Amino acid sequence: QQPVQSPQAVILREGEDAVINCSSSKALYSVHWYRQKHGEAPVFLMILLKGGEQKGHDKISASFNEKKQQSSLYLTASQLSYSGTYFCGTEIAGTDKLIFGTGTRLQVFP
Amino acid sequence: DTGVSQDPRHKITKRGQNVTFRCDPISEHNRLYWYRQTLGQGPEFLTYFQNEAQLEKSRLLSDRFSAERPKGSFSTLEIQRTEQGDSAMYLCASSLPVLSGNTIYFGEGSWLTVV
């Protein structure tokens, strides 16, 4: 039931791009993306509802393909502040809670 | 607009003692969630409330864990007879479901260390 994220870890130089994937075996109603820095709580980034949504703000965007039960988070022109662990939270149709993925650790170096 | 607040932020307790965590959600939010997170893992669902009603409890939640939200506002999570395996960060979150989705906002978390 837990969604699977890939890759497990990414190392980038400032200005490089990255894609993080989230895949579920269950029919999804929505996908939520969070970033968590060490020792802090997860911070909400964006929510995507079923309907093939794409969303973005600044240089971070995401897509949701409900037929494949997959979502991807796109980080372009990465900044040092993007470093952290990214989690997708999936809301299975008919439930009201999020089940979180395994996490992707992103490190951006100057 | 204040966010989700949790208290205490850190708690060290001896094995066998009881501990209680408090969560104050964002004021207009009717849903309140408790999650647990251990190092290197994603948050793990424990339970959630809609107003004062506890609608779901994870099967992972043993009888030693109990949560309440008596007036549909703040919530408490109590762990009785703590064990070393209970050491984790306990996260509270709240939301107000709308047509555009059920965005869930987390508090800063309460770190529990059982020695």
Side-chain angles (χ1 to χ4, degrees):
Chain A
Q1 192 169 346
Q2 183 183 31
V4 176
Q5 289 183 231
S6 63
Q8 289 186 332
V10 184
I11 297 175
L12 297 174
R13 292 278 183 199
E14 258 186 307
E16 291 182 339
D17 303 339
V19 180
I20 299 171
N21 301 302
C22 174
S23 179
S24 174
S25 59
K26 301 282 187 181
L28 299 178
Y29 177 72
S30 67
V31 179
H32 305 225
W33 285 96
Y34 291 82
R35 177 171 58 219
Q36 186 175 32
K37 294 188 182 278
H38 185 69
E40 299 179 8
V43 173
F44 171 77
L45 294 176
M46 63 185 76
I47 177 176
L48 300 109
L49 302 180
K50 70 176 194 174
E53 267 204 305
Q54 283 201 333
K55 266 192 181 177
H57 58 82
D58 199 13
K59 294 183 175 68
I60 300 176
S61 62
S63 63
F64 175 29
N65 184 329
E66 80 240 37
K67 289 181 182 175
K68 293 185 177 180
Q69 286 112 242
Q70 291 175 349
S71 177
S72 294
L73 185 72
Y74 307 94
L75 301 116
T76 57
S78 59
Q79 306 166 17
L80 295 175
S81 61
Y82 287 3
S83 293
T85 301
Y86 289 78
F87 291 101
C88 66
T90 53
E91 183 181 1
I92 296 169
T95 72
D96 294 320
K97 63 181 186 283
L98 295 182
I99 304 298
F100 285 89
T102 47
T104 296
R105 188 174 176 189
L106 181 81
Q107 290 178 282
V108 182
F109 290 96
Chain B
D1 181 28
T2 58
V4 179
S5 62
Q6 294 186 241
D7 182 70
R9 294 291 316 283
H10 300 271
K11 178 75 177 178
I12 300 174
T13 191
K14 290 184 178 178
R15 189 160 48 97
Q17 297 292 306
N18 299 343
V19 295
T20 300
F21 299 112
R22 177 183 169 120
C23 171
D24 287 273
I26 294 170
S27 59
E28 66 270 21
H29 286 185
N30 60 352
R31 284 203 187 149
L32 187 147
Y33 300 81
W34 286 99
Y35 282 80
R36 175 171 64 191
Q37 188 177 26
T38 53
L39 224 57
Q41 302 296 315
E44 175 186 42
F45 172 78
L46 294 179
T47 187
Y48 89 100
F49 295 82
Q50 178 147 310
N51 300 312
E52 65 275 8
Q54 187 173 20
L55 296 187
E56 187 175 346
K57 278 177 64 169
S58 167
R59 284 171 291 174
L60 301 170
L61 212 62
S62 79
D63 292 344
R64 296 184 297 106
F65 287 72
S66 62
E68 293 183 341
R69 195 183 182 197
K71 296 181 181 178
S73 55
F74 74 93
S75 174
T76 57
L77 176 70
E78 182 184 19
I79 309 173
Q80 295 182 325
R81 305 181 303 281
T82 51
E83 302 171 357
Q84 286 189 322
D86 296 333
S87 296
M89 180 163 67
Y90 289 84
L91 289 161
C92 177
S94 71
S95 71
L96 178 65
V98 292
L99 280 175
S100 57
N102 181 30
T103 301
I104 295 174
Y105 296 96
F106 283 90
E108 293 293 318
S110 291
W111 286 95
L112 174 65
T113 302
V114 182
V115 297

